[in-house]
C-alpha cells in the first residue's frame, strides 16, 4: 500500500518521504523518525504488523501511532491520515486480536494532537489468497459463512490520496468493493482459479456474518473481483 500510494501522490506532484524499516525508519524505537518528518505536512499511516495476537497487535498499533503523533507534532505536521479496516470496531469482530490493534490505532490517532482523518477499507481483492492461507489449518481452508466485500487496492489508494489533498481533515470515510460474497464461496472460487486444490471447509464462525462489510455511508469501488460467476449476496 505504501509504495502504491507514494507513486500515486508523486504523479500528482506531491513530494513523498517513505517511512518504512527498509528506509531506516523504525516507528517503534523512533530510530530515524524525527529526521524523516522534517518539513512533512501530512503523515499517511499505512503501517502494518504480523502480530495477530491482541497484546502484540495493540502494542504495535498504539506505540507506532503515539510515536508518529509526538514526533509529528514536534516537526509541525498538520494532518494524520490513517488506513483502517471497515467493521473492526464492530462488537462481533472484536475477538480478533489484529482488529483490536486497529481499533487501538484509530482511538490513538483520534485522541492525538494532530487532526486525524480515518480511511476504512474492506479487504483488498489481492489479499484474498493471503486470507485463505491465514485460514488454513492442516492443509484445509476453514471459512465461516461470513460476508466479505473486497475492494481493489488502487481504489483505496485513490481515496487515501484524496484524504491527503481534498477531503475535510478529521473525517471518517469508508470504501468497499462493488460486490458482496460469502467468504467460503470466495475462497473456493479463488483457489480453483489458481489451481490450488486445498479443500475449503465451511465452519461455524465466531464472528457475526456481517461484521466486516459496510453498514453506513461508504464509497463503492467500481472494479469487480477478477473472478466472474461467484454468487453474490
Ligand atoms: N490487507 C487488507 O486487505 C487491508 C484492508 C484494509 C486495511 N488494511 C490496512 O492497510 C495497511 C497497510 O497494509 P499493507 O498490506 O500495505 O501492509 P504491508 O505490506 O505489511 O506493509 C507494512 C509497512 O509497514 C512498515 N513497517 C512495519 N513495521 C515498521 C516499523 N517498526 N517501523 C517503520 N515501518 C514499519 C513496513 O516497512 P518495510 O516494508 O520497510 O519493512 C511496510 O512498509 C495496514 O494498516 C492494514 O491494516 C489492509
Amino acid at each position: 500500500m505504501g509504495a502504491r500510494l507514494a507513486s500515486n501522490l508523486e504523479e500528482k506532484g506531491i513530494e513523498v518521504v517513505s517511512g518504512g524499516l527498509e528506509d531506516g525508519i523504525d516507528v517503534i524505537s523512533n530510530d530515524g523518525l524525527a529526521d524523516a518528518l522534517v518539513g512533512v505536512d501530512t503523515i499517511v499511516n499505512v503501517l502494518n504488523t504480523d502480530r495477530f495476537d491482541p497484546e502484540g497487535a495493540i502494542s504495535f498499533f498504539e506505540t507506532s501511532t503515539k510515536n508518529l503523533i509526538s514526533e509529528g507534532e514536534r516537526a509541525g505536521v498538520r494532518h494524520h491520515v490513517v488506513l483502517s479496516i471497515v467493521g473492526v470496531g464492530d462488537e462481533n469482530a472484536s475477538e480478533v486480536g489484529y482488529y483490536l490493534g486497529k481499533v487501538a490505532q484509530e482511538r490513538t490517532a483520534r485522541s492525538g494532537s494532530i487532526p486525524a482523518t480515518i480511511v476504512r477499507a474492506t479487504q483488498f481483492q489481492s489479499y484474498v489468497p493471503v486470507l485463505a492461507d491465514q485460514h488454513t489449518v492442516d492443509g484445509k481452508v476453514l471459512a465461516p459463512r461470513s460476508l466479505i466485500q473486497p475492494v481493489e487496492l488502487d481504489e483505496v489508494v485513490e481515496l487515501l490520496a484524496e484524504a491527503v489533498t481534498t477531503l475535510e481533515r478529521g473525517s471518517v470515510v469508508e470504501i468497499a468493493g462493488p460486490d458482496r460474497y460469502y467468504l467460503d464461496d470466495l475462497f473456493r472460487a479463488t483457489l480453483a482459479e489458481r489451481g490450488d486444490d486445498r479443500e475449503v471447509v465451511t465452519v461455524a464462525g465466531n464472528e457475526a456474518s456481517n461484521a466486516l462489510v459496510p453498514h453506513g455511508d461508504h464509497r463503492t469501488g467500481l472494479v469487480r473481483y477478477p473472478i466472474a460467476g461467484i454468487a453474490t449476496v
Side-chain angles (χ1 to χ4, degrees), residues 86-159:
V86 168
V88 284
D90 188 302
E91 63 180 91
N92 295 309
S94 64
E95 293 168 34
V96 180
Y98 183 84
Y99 297 157
L100 294 173
K102 297 298 291 184
V103 170
Q105 182 187 39
E106 284 195 21
R107 189 176 50 238
T108 308
R110 265 201 292 243
S111 61
S113 48
I114 301 175
T117 298
I118 312 280
V119 174
R120 296 191 190 121
T122 54
Q123 288 62 45
F124 308 149
Q125 292 176 358
S126 53
Y127 191 69
V128 171
V130 181
L131 206 54
D133 291 345
Q134 289 171 350
H135 281 75
T136 299
V137 178
D138 295 333
K140 291 183 179 176
V141 182
L142 309 183
R145 204 148 167 80
S146 54
L147 296 177
I148 183 166
Q149 195 169 335
V151 64
E152 206 269 331
L153 185 75
D154 280 326
E155 296 190 307
V156 183
V157 168
E158 195 51 46
L159 183 55

Side-chain angles (χ1 to χ4, degrees), residues 64-99:
S64 56
T65 306
K66 277 183 189 157
N67 287 346
L68 281 174
I69 293 169
S70 56
E71 291 298 331
E73 189 180 9
R74 223 166 275 151
V77 171
R78 295 187 300 162
H79 188 199
H80 182 194
V81 177
V82 178
L83 177 57
S84 189
I85 305 176
V86 168
V88 284
D90 188 302
E91 63 180 91
N92 295 309
S94 64
E95 293 168 34
V96 180
Y98 183 84
Y99 297 157

Side-chain angles (χ1 to χ4, degrees), residues 1-2 19-23 25-29 45-49 60-61 83-86 98 102 105 120-125 127 153:
M1 173 54 76
L21 289 169
E22 284 181 11
D23 307 296
I25 296 154
D26 188 333
V27 293
I28 299 298
S29 69
N45 184 347
V46 291
L47 291 160
N48 205 6
T49 178
F60 176 84
F61 282 116
L83 177 57
S84 189
I85 305 176
V86 168
Y98 183 84
K102 297 298 291 184
Q105 182 187 39
R120 296 191 190 121
T122 54
Q123 288 62 45
F124 308 149
Q125 292 176 358
Y127 191 69
L153 185 75

